[in-house]
Amino acid sequence: MVIERRLSAHIDWPLIAAVLALTGIGLATIYSVTWDVRHSQPGREFWQQVYAIPVSLVALGVCLIVDYRTLTQRALILYGVLLLALLQVHFFGHQSNGARRWVSLGGFTLQPSEFARVCIALVLAMLYGETRRSAKSMGELVAGAAFVVIPGYLILKQPDLGTAATLIPVYLGVVYLAGLRVRWLLAALVAIALLSPIIWKFGLHDYQKQRVVTFFDPEKDAKGAGYQQIQAKVTVGSGGLFGKGFRGSTQGTGGFLPVAHNDFVFSVLAEEHGFVGVLAALGLYMFVIARSLEAAKLAKDRVGAYLVTGIVGGFGFQVLYNITMSAGLAPVKGLTLPLMSYGGSSLVATFAAFGLILNVRMRRFTN
């Protein structure tokens, strides 16, 4: 299947350029922070990220070419595949560092939870867009929430609270457009606040509680739970205005900042390129989000608008949380920075999501 010439004229090339630019910045940062001085070459994480790029481009191309309405009509099938993949992880998944989040595919590993945001956005766009349901009744809200709770629970069991949490803004973005009453949202926030002691006691693991406690006073456990937060602040602050230059990171390459190529890639960017580099990256992310929201505004139907809004909700939350975490302004959580952090599954899923956004914008003039 190829894109008709009249459609290809409406491909959003500036958005593609911004996405590729952020990917390039992330790749350069991974190259820098994983550099092996003894062998004078970057680490395997860099090469694995390089190998993921062509797969990601294919995923973007497929999600761009296939009409998004065709995909939403088959959203329940994709949802079923997602649940099967998550169950596969639960029973037979690859375990690392106390978590079971991956399945082995030949010589590679796949993290199915990274594709949950895209799948949920498709399902909710189908539910509220194709059927023209609104989110003004409790029954309709619960119907949509049910599609989020099941994969969310399976992801929590891995355990992966961060990825599970990113499903919530996907849901909220769609139901808000579908007519969610603001007073209900406020009531939900009040209910969460009232239930917070119960959630704290029974809903969080001990290590998660420790992260929250040390967020307010990391010096209490400076060599334990508070170590990453302290080092992240030091890394960001050491960059100054213009940074230490490419491959000039001492915190990341010296091993002082754990998982610097993944959760804290933004901290390394700040150390190497300073405040100026941070502004450039933030500007690109703001452009990507604004351009994507414009695609939702221009969408020809509810399905497209809901789909894009759901995707942007999850993406925006992930960007905001990771950057604030990297600056020491949020509790440390294993949540990657999309497009920049190391992780093949994350990169492929994010490119697929932007393929759908481009798809909606490109088809805004079709019948």
PDB file of all heavy atoms in Angstrom, residues 204-235:
ATOM      1  N   LEU A 204       1.488   0.622  47.862  1.00  0.00           N
ATOM      2  CA  LEU A 204       2.873   0.862  47.448  1.00  0.00           C
ATOM      3  C   LEU A 204       3.812  -0.142  48.083  1.00  0.00           C
ATOM      4  O   LEU A 204       3.625  -0.548  49.238  1.00  0.00           O
ATOM      5  CB  LEU A 204       3.309   2.285  47.843  1.00  0.00           C
ATOM      6  CG  LEU A 204       2.554   3.449  47.204  1.00  0.00           C
ATOM      7  CD1 LEU A 204       3.102   4.773  47.738  1.00  0.00           C
ATOM      8  CD2 LEU A 204       2.653   3.418  45.688  1.00  0.00           C
ATOM      9  N   HIS A 205       4.826  -0.528  47.328  1.00  0.00           N
ATOM     10  CA  HIS A 205       5.882  -1.369  47.867  1.00  0.00           C
ATOM     11  C   HIS A 205       6.779  -0.523  48.771  1.00  0.00           C
ATOM     12  O   HIS A 205       6.790   0.706  48.696  1.00  0.00           O
ATOM     13  CB  HIS A 205       6.711  -1.979  46.735  1.00  0.00           C
ATOM     14  CG  HIS A 205       5.941  -2.927  45.872  1.00  0.00           C
ATOM     15  ND1 HIS A 205       5.659  -4.224  46.250  1.00  0.00           N
ATOM     16  CD2 HIS A 205       5.390  -2.768  44.632  1.00  0.00           C
ATOM     17  CE1 HIS A 205       4.976  -4.818  45.285  1.00  0.00           C
ATOM     18  NE2 HIS A 205       4.798  -3.959  44.300  1.00  0.00           N
ATOM     19  N   ASP A 206       7.541  -1.193  49.609  1.00  0.00           N
ATOM     20  CA  ASP A 206       8.415  -0.486  50.546  1.00  0.00           C
ATOM     21  C   ASP A 206       9.417   0.411  49.830  1.00  0.00           C
ATOM     22  O   ASP A 206       9.688   1.537  50.267  1.00  0.00           O
ATOM     23  CB  ASP A 206       9.164  -1.488  51.434  1.00  0.00           C
ATOM     24  CG  ASP A 206       8.244  -2.174  52.431  1.00  0.00           C
ATOM     25  OD1 ASP A 206       7.169  -1.607  52.716  1.00  0.00           O
ATOM     26  OD2 ASP A 206       8.599  -3.267  52.902  1.00  0.00           O
ATOM     27  N   TYR A 207       9.992  -0.086  48.714  1.00  0.00           N
ATOM     28  CA  TYR A 207      10.974   0.722  48.000  1.00  0.00           C
ATOM     29  C   TYR A 207      10.338   1.958  47.374  1.00  0.00           C
ATOM     30  O   TYR A 207      10.981   3.006  47.239  1.00  0.00           O
ATOM     31  CB  TYR A 207      11.689  -0.121  46.934  1.00  0.00           C
ATOM     32  CG  TYR A 207      10.885  -0.431  45.702  1.00  0.00           C
ATOM     33  CD1 TYR A 207      10.944   0.408  44.581  1.00  0.00           C
ATOM     34  CD2 TYR A 207      10.080  -1.555  45.623  1.00  0.00           C
ATOM     35  CE1 TYR A 207      10.214   0.139  43.437  1.00  0.00           C
ATOM     36  CE2 TYR A 207       9.350  -1.842  44.491  1.00  0.00           C
ATOM     37  CZ  TYR A 207       9.422  -1.006  43.395  1.00  0.00           C
ATOM     38  OH  TYR A 207       8.693  -1.290  42.261  1.00  0.00           O
ATOM     39  N   GLN A 208       9.056   1.858  46.996  1.00  0.00           N
ATOM     40  CA  GLN A 208       8.354   3.014  46.432  1.00  0.00           C
ATOM     41  C   GLN A 208       8.083   4.054  47.521  1.00  0.00           C
ATOM     42  O   GLN A 208       8.202   5.261  47.282  1.00  0.00           O
ATOM     43  CB  GLN A 208       7.045   2.558  45.774  1.00  0.00           C
ATOM     44  CG  GLN A 208       7.269   1.705  44.533  1.00  0.00           C
ATOM     45  CD  GLN A 208       6.001   1.035  44.043  1.00  0.00           C
ATOM     46  OE1 GLN A 208       5.052   0.831  44.811  1.00  0.00           O
ATOM     47  NE2 GLN A 208       5.969   0.685  42.767  1.00  0.00           N
ATOM     48  N   LYS A 209       7.719   3.589  48.708  1.00  0.00           N
ATOM     49  CA  LYS A 209       7.523   4.506  49.834  1.00  0.00           C
ATOM     50  C   LYS A 209       8.831   5.218  50.165  1.00  0.00           C
ATOM     51  O   LYS A 209       8.840   6.423  50.444  1.00  0.00           O
ATOM     52  CB  LYS A 209       7.020   3.739  51.054  1.00  0.00           C
ATOM     53  CG  LYS A 209       5.640   3.118  50.895  1.00  0.00           C
ATOM     54  CD  LYS A 209       5.276   2.319  52.135  1.00  0.00           C
ATOM     55  CE  LYS A 209       3.920   1.637  51.975  1.00  0.00           C
ATOM     56  NZ  LYS A 209       3.569   0.805  53.152  1.00  0.00           N
ATOM     57  N   GLN A 210       9.919   4.458  50.119  1.00  0.00           N
ATOM     58  CA  GLN A 210      11.216   5.029  50.441  1.00  0.00           C
ATOM     59  C   GLN A 210      11.595   6.126  49.460  1.00  0.00           C
ATOM     60  O   GLN A 210      12.184   7.146  49.834  1.00  0.00           O
ATOM     61  CB  GLN A 210      12.282   3.933  50.447  1.00  0.00           C
ATOM     62  CG  GLN A 210      13.644   4.384  50.953  1.00  0.00           C
ATOM     63  CD  GLN A 210      13.622   4.772  52.416  1.00  0.00           C
ATOM     64  OE1 GLN A 210      12.756   4.343  53.176  1.00  0.00           O
ATOM     65  NE2 GLN A 210      14.559   5.615  52.820  1.00  0.00           N
ATOM     66  N   ARG A 211      11.247   5.940  48.187  1.00  0.00           N
ATOM     67  CA  ARG A 211      11.547   6.964  47.182  1.00  0.00           C
ATOM     68  C   ARG A 211      10.794   8.254  47.454  1.00  0.00           C
ATOM     69  O   ARG A 211      11.322   9.346  47.269  1.00  0.00           O
ATOM     70  CB  ARG A 211      11.191   6.434  45.781  1.00  0.00           C
ATOM     71  CG  ARG A 211      12.179   5.425  45.229  1.00  0.00           C
ATOM     72  CD  ARG A 211      11.733   4.916  43.885  1.00  0.00           C
ATOM     73  NE  ARG A 211      12.726   4.019  43.296  1.00  0.00           N
ATOM     74  CZ  ARG A 211      12.566   3.384  42.143  1.00  0.00           C
ATOM     75  NH1 ARG A 211      11.446   3.537  41.460  1.00  0.00           N
ATOM     76  NH2 ARG A 211      13.506   2.587  41.678  1.00  0.00           N
ATOM     77  N   VAL A 212       9.539   8.133  47.879  1.00  0.00           N
ATOM     78  CA  VAL A 212       8.745   9.322  48.179  1.00  0.00           C
ATOM     79  C   VAL A 212       9.317  10.045  49.395  1.00  0.00           C
ATOM     80  O   VAL A 212       9.453  11.272  49.405  1.00  0.00           O
ATOM     81  CB  VAL A 212       7.270   8.946  48.425  1.00  0.00           C
ATOM     82  CG1 VAL A 212       6.470  10.174  48.846  1.00  0.00           C
ATOM     83  CG2 VAL A 212       6.661   8.328  47.171  1.00  0.00           C
ATOM     84  N   VAL A 213       9.677   9.282  50.436  1.00  0.00           N
ATOM     85  CA  VAL A 213      10.225   9.872  51.655  1.00  0.00           C
ATOM     86  C   VAL A 213      11.531  10.595  51.368  1.00  0.00           C
ATOM     87  O   VAL A 213      11.752  11.739  51.797  1.00  0.00           O
ATOM     88  CB  VAL A 213      10.432   8.790  52.737  1.00  0.00           C
ATOM     89  CG1 VAL A 213      11.197   9.371  53.931  1.00  0.00           C
ATOM     90  CG2 VAL A 213       9.089   8.233  53.198  1.00  0.00           C
ATOM     91  N   THR A 214      12.412   9.946  50.635  1.00  0.00           N
ATOM     92  CA  THR A 214      13.713  10.546  50.343  1.00  0.00           C
ATOM     93  C   THR A 214      13.613  11.696  49.344  1.00  0.00           C
ATOM     94  O   THR A 214      14.534  12.516  49.258  1.00  0.00           O
ATOM     95  CB  THR A 214      14.684   9.496  49.779  1.00  0.00           C
ATOM     96  OG1 THR A 214      14.079   8.835  48.656  1.00  0.00           O
ATOM     97  CG2 THR A 214      15.037   8.462  50.827  1.00  0.00           C
ATOM     98  N   PHE A 215      12.499  11.787  48.612  1.00  0.00           N
ATOM     99  CA  PHE A 215      12.312  12.930  47.713  1.00  0.00           C
ATOM    100  C   PHE A 215      12.276  14.226  48.518  1.00  0.00           C
ATOM    101  O   PHE A 215      12.863  15.241  48.116  1.00  0.00           O
ATOM    102  CB  PHE A 215      11.029  12.771  46.909  1.00  0.00           C
ATOM    103  CG  PHE A 215      10.569  14.030  46.233  1.00  0.00           C
ATOM    104  CD1 PHE A 215      11.316  14.601  45.220  1.00  0.00           C
ATOM    105  CD2 PHE A 215       9.395  14.665  46.633  1.00  0.00           C
ATOM    106  CE1 PHE A 215      10.902  15.771  44.591  1.00  0.00           C
ATOM    107  CE2 PHE A 215       8.975  15.826  46.008  1.00  0.00           C
ATOM    108  CZ  PHE A 215       9.730  16.388  44.993  1.00  0.00           C
ATOM    109  N   PHE A 216      11.612  14.204  49.668  1.00  0.00           N
ATOM    110  CA  PHE A 216      11.493  15.412  50.491  1.00  0.00           C
ATOM    111  C   PHE A 216      12.777  15.692  51.267  1.00  0.00           C
ATOM    112  O   PHE A 216      13.076  16.847  51.574  1.00  0.00           O
ATOM    113  CB  PHE A 216      10.306  15.270  51.445  1.00  0.00           C
ATOM    114  CG  PHE A 216       8.975  15.245  50.750  1.00  0.00           C
ATOM    115  CD1 PHE A 216       8.298  14.052  50.552  1.00  0.00           C
ATOM    116  CD2 PHE A 216       8.413  16.408  50.260  1.00  0.00           C
ATOM    117  CE1 PHE A 216       7.067  14.022  49.901  1.00  0.00           C
ATOM    118  CE2 PHE A 216       7.186  16.396  49.600  1.00  0.00           C
ATOM    119  CZ  PHE A 216       6.521  15.198  49.418  1.00  0.00           C
ATOM    120  N   ASP A 217      13.541  14.644  51.571  1.00  0.00           N
ATOM    121  CA  ASP A 217      14.810  14.841  52.277  1.00  0.00           C
ATOM    122  C   ASP A 217      15.793  13.762  51.834  1.00  0.00           C
ATOM    123  O   ASP A 217      16.022  12.775  52.551  1.00  0.00           O
ATOM    124  CB  ASP A 217      14.591  14.780  53.790  1.00  0.00           C
ATOM    125  CG  ASP A 217      15.850  15.194  54.556  1.00  0.00           C
ATOM    126  OD1 ASP A 217      16.836  15.607  53.905  1.00  0.00           O
ATOM    127  OD2 ASP A 217      15.844  15.099  55.793  1.00  0.00           O
ATOM    128  N   PRO A 218      16.372  13.918  50.644  1.00  0.00           N
ATOM    129  CA  PRO A 218      17.279  12.875  50.121  1.00  0.00           C
ATOM    130  C   PRO A 218      18.507  12.657  50.981  1.00  0.00           C
ATOM    131  O   PRO A 218      19.117  11.589  50.928  1.00  0.00           O
ATOM    132  CB  PRO A 218      17.661  13.408  48.733  1.00  0.00           C
ATOM    133  CG  PRO A 218      17.376  14.875  48.775  1.00  0.00           C
ATOM    134  CD  PRO A 218      16.230  15.037  49.711  1.00  0.00           C
ATOM    135  N   GLU A 219      18.888  13.659  51.784  1.00  0.00           N
ATOM    136  CA  GLU A 219      20.077  13.509  52.619  1.00  0.00           C
ATOM    137  C   GLU A 219      19.887  12.477  53.725  1.00  0.00           C
ATOM    138  O   GLU A 219      20.869  12.005  54.309  1.00  0.00           O
ATOM    139  CB  GLU A 219      20.440  14.863  53.243  1.00  0.00           C
ATOM    140  CG  GLU A 219      20.791  15.952  52.239  1.00  0.00           C
ATOM    141  CD  GLU A 219      22.059  15.629  51.452  1.00  0.00           C
ATOM    142  OE1 GLU A 219      22.860  14.804  51.946  1.00  0.00           O
ATOM    143  OE2 GLU A 219      22.250  16.197  50.367  1.00  0.00           O
ATOM    144  N   LYS A 220      18.641  12.104  54.008  1.00  0.00           N
ATOM    145  CA  LYS A 220      18.386  11.090  55.031  1.00  0.00           C
ATOM    146  C   LYS A 220      18.983   9.746  54.644  1.00  0.00           C
ATOM    147  O   LYS A 220      19.341   8.944  55.507  1.00  0.00           O
ATOM    148  CB  LYS A 220      16.878  10.935  55.258  1.00  0.00           C
ATOM    149  CG  LYS A 220      16.273  12.002  56.159  1.00  0.00           C
ATOM    150  CD  LYS A 220      14.827  11.664  56.475  1.00  0.00           C
ATOM    151  CE  LYS A 220      14.241  12.660  57.473  1.00  0.00           C
ATOM    152  NZ  LYS A 220      12.830  12.339  57.812  1.00  0.00           N
ATOM    153  N   ASP A 221      19.024   9.493  53.353  1.00  0.00           N
ATOM    154  CA  ASP A 221      19.596   8.238  52.857  1.00  0.00           C
ATOM    155  C   ASP A 221      20.439   8.559  51.633  1.00  0.00           C
ATOM    156  O   ASP A 221      20.168   8.115  50.526  1.00  0.00           O
ATOM    157  CB  ASP A 221      18.477   7.249  52.514  1.00  0.00           C
ATOM    158  CG  ASP A 221      18.999   5.839  52.269  1.00  0.00           C
ATOM    159  OD1 ASP A 221      20.191   5.597  52.516  1.00  0.00           O
ATOM    160  OD2 ASP A 221      18.217   4.986  51.812  1.00  0.00           O
ATOM    161  N   ALA A 222      21.475   9.354  51.867  1.00  0.00           N
ATOM    162  CA  ALA A 222      22.273   9.890  50.760  1.00  0.00           C
ATOM    163  C   ALA A 222      23.002   8.819  49.969  1.00  0.00           C
ATOM    164  O   ALA A 222      23.302   8.998  48.793  1.00  0.00           O
ATOM    165  CB  ALA A 222      23.283  10.904  51.299  1.00  0.00           C
ATOM    166  N   LYS A 223      23.287   7.684  50.603  1.00  0.00           N
ATOM    167  CA  LYS A 223      23.994   6.608  49.912  1.00  0.00           C
ATOM    168  C   LYS A 223      23.060   5.486  49.469  1.00  0.00           C
ATOM    169  O   LYS A 223      23.510   4.501  48.899  1.00  0.00           O
ATOM    170  CB  LYS A 223      25.088   6.041  50.818  1.00  0.00           C
ATOM    171  CG  LYS A 223      26.202   7.035  51.116  1.00  0.00           C
ATOM    172  CD  LYS A 223      27.304   6.392  51.938  1.00  0.00           C
ATOM    173  CE  LYS A 223      28.434   7.385  52.191  1.00  0.00           C
ATOM    174  NZ  LYS A 223      29.538   6.772  52.988  1.00  0.00           N
ATOM    175  N   GLY A 224      21.765   5.679  49.738  1.00  0.00           N
ATOM    176  CA  GLY A 224      20.791   4.657  49.371  1.00  0.00           C
ATOM    177  C   GLY A 224      19.724   5.210  48.439  1.00  0.00           C
ATOM    178  O   GLY A 224      20.003   5.593  47.311  1.00  0.00           O
ATOM    179  N   ALA A 225      18.486   5.303  48.952  1.00  0.00           N
ATOM    180  CA  ALA A 225      17.362   5.717  48.115  1.00  0.00           C
ATOM    181  C   ALA A 225      17.492   7.148  47.612  1.00  0.00           C
ATOM    182  O   ALA A 225      16.945   7.500  46.568  1.00  0.00           O
ATOM    183  CB  ALA A 225      16.050   5.561  48.897  1.00  0.00           C
ATOM    184  N   GLY A 226      18.209   7.997  48.376  1.00  0.00           N
ATOM    185  CA  GLY A 226      18.341   9.388  47.946  1.00  0.00           C
ATOM    186  C   GLY A 226      19.515   9.649  47.030  1.00  0.00           C
ATOM    187  O   GLY A 226      19.695  10.771  46.539  1.00  0.00           O
ATOM    188  N   TYR A 227      20.306   8.618  46.761  1.00  0.00           N
ATOM    189  CA  TYR A 227      21.543   8.797  45.986  1.00  0.00           C
ATOM    190  C   TYR A 227      21.278   9.303  44.569  1.00  0.00           C
ATOM    191  O   TYR A 227      21.914  10.259  44.102  1.00  0.00           O
ATOM    192  CB  TYR A 227      22.303   7.475  45.933  1.00  0.00           C
ATOM    193  CG  TYR A 227      23.595   7.548  45.152  1.00  0.00           C
ATOM    194  CD1 TYR A 227      24.726   8.119  45.710  1.00  0.00           C
ATOM    195  CD2 TYR A 227      23.665   7.055  43.858  1.00  0.00           C
ATOM    196  CE1 TYR A 227      25.915   8.195  45.001  1.00  0.00           C
ATOM    197  CE2 TYR A 227      24.839   7.121  43.131  1.00  0.00           C
ATOM    198  CZ  TYR A 227      25.960   7.687  43.706  1.00  0.00           C
ATOM    199  OH  TYR A 227      27.125   7.773  42.996  1.00  0.00           O
ATOM    200  N   GLN A 228      20.337   8.656  43.873  1.00  0.00           N
ATOM    201  CA  GLN A 228      20.069   9.048  42.484  1.00  0.00           C
ATOM    202  C   GLN A 228      19.582  10.494  42.391  1.00  0.00           C
ATOM    203  O   GLN A 228      19.993  11.231  41.494  1.00  0.00           O
ATOM    204  CB  GLN A 228      19.031   8.114  41.857  1.00  0.00           C
ATOM    205  CG  GLN A 228      19.568   6.735  41.515  1.00  0.00           C
ATOM    206  CD  GLN A 228      18.493   5.860  40.913  1.00  0.00           C
ATOM    207  OE1 GLN A 228      17.418   5.662  41.495  1.00  0.00           O
ATOM    208  NE2 GLN A 228      18.753   5.308  39.741  1.00  0.00           N
ATOM    209  N   GLN A 229      18.705  10.884  43.315  1.00  0.00           N
ATOM    210  CA  GLN A 229      18.164  12.243  43.278  1.00  0.00           C
ATOM    211  C   GLN A 229      19.264  13.270  43.517  1.00  0.00           C
ATOM    212  O   GLN A 229      19.326  14.297  42.833  1.00  0.00           O
ATOM    213  CB  GLN A 229      17.064  12.389  44.327  1.00  0.00           C
ATOM    214  CG  GLN A 229      16.349  13.728  44.276  1.00  0.00           C
ATOM    215  CD  GLN A 229      15.188  13.792  45.246  1.00  0.00           C
ATOM    216  OE1 GLN A 229      14.709  12.778  45.728  1.00  0.00           O
ATOM    217  NE2 GLN A 229      14.752  14.999  45.560  1.00  0.00           N
ATOM    218  N   ILE A 230      20.129  12.998  44.467  1.00  0.00           N
ATOM    219  CA  ILE A 230      21.233  13.915  44.752  1.00  0.00           C
ATOM    220  C   ILE A 230      22.166  14.021  43.554  1.00  0.00           C
ATOM    221  O   ILE A 230      22.554  15.116  43.133  1.00  0.00           O
ATOM    222  CB  ILE A 230      22.007  13.450  46.001  1.00  0.00           C
ATOM    223  CG1 ILE A 230      21.125  13.561  47.243  1.00  0.00           C
ATOM    224  CG2 ILE A 230      23.288  14.266  46.176  1.00  0.00           C
ATOM    225  CD1 ILE A 230      21.725  12.924  48.478  1.00  0.00           C
ATOM    226  N   GLN A 231      22.540  12.887  42.981  1.00  0.00           N
ATOM    227  CA  GLN A 231      23.462  12.879  41.855  1.00  0.00           C
ATOM    228  C   GLN A 231      22.847  13.527  40.619  1.00  0.00           C
ATOM    229  O   GLN A 231      23.542  14.168  39.826  1.00  0.00           O
ATOM    230  CB  GLN A 231      23.893  11.443  41.543  1.00  0.00           C
ATOM    231  CG  GLN A 231      24.769  10.812  42.610  1.00  0.00           C
ATOM    232  CD  GLN A 231      26.034  11.610  42.858  1.00  0.00           C
ATOM    233  OE1 GLN A 231      26.674  12.092  41.936  1.00  0.00           O
ATOM    234  NE2 GLN A 231      26.390  11.767  44.132  1.00  0.00           N
ATOM    235  N   ALA A 232      21.536  13.357  40.440  1.00  0.00           N
ATOM    236  CA  ALA A 232      20.859  13.991  39.302  1.00  0.00           C
ATOM    237  C   ALA A 232      20.949  15.512  39.413  1.00  0.00           C
ATOM    238  O   ALA A 232      21.218  16.212  38.422  1.00  0.00           O
ATOM    239  CB  ALA A 232      19.399  13.550  39.244  1.00  0.00           C
ATOM    240  N   LYS A 233      20.730  16.041  40.631  1.00  0.00           N
ATOM    241  CA  LYS A 233      20.840  17.491  40.837  1.00  0.00           C
ATOM    242  C   LYS A 233      22.259  17.978  40.579  1.00  0.00           C
ATOM    243  O   LYS A 233      22.471  19.015  39.941  1.00  0.00           O
ATOM    244  CB  LYS A 233      20.422  17.844  42.265  1.00  0.00           C
ATOM    245  CG  LYS A 233      18.933  17.764  42.533  1.00  0.00           C
ATOM    246  CD  LYS A 233      18.640  18.183  43.965  1.00  0.00           C
ATOM    247  CE  LYS A 233      17.160  18.154  44.268  1.00  0.00           C
ATOM    248  NZ  LYS A 233      16.883  18.556  45.675  1.00  0.00           N
ATOM    249  N   VAL A 234      23.227  17.222  41.087  1.00  0.00           N
ATOM    250  CA  VAL A 234      24.628  17.591  40.890  1.00  0.00           C
ATOM    251  C   VAL A 234      24.972  17.595  39.409  1.00  0.00           C
ATOM    252  O   VAL A 234      25.640  18.505  38.905  1.00  0.00           O
ATOM    253  CB  VAL A 234      25.557  16.624  41.653  1.00  0.00           C
ATOM    254  CG1 VAL A 234      27.017  16.867  41.277  1.00  0.00           C
ATOM    255  CG2 VAL A 234      25.367  16.774  43.152  1.00  0.00           C
ATOM    256  N   THR A 235      24.492  16.580  38.684  1.00  0.00           N
ATOM    257  CA  THR A 235      24.783  16.457  37.254  1.00  0.00           C
ATOM    258  C   THR A 235      24.203  17.628  36.477  1.00  0.00           C
ATOM    259  O   THR A 235      24.882  18.228  35.640  1.00  0.00           O
ATOM    260  CB  THR A 235      24.216  15.137  36.703  1.00  0.00           C
ATOM    261  OG1 THR A 235      24.750  14.044  37.459  1.00  0.00           O
ATOM    262  CG2 THR A 235      24.584  14.952  35.237  1.00  0.00           C
TER     263      THR A 235
END
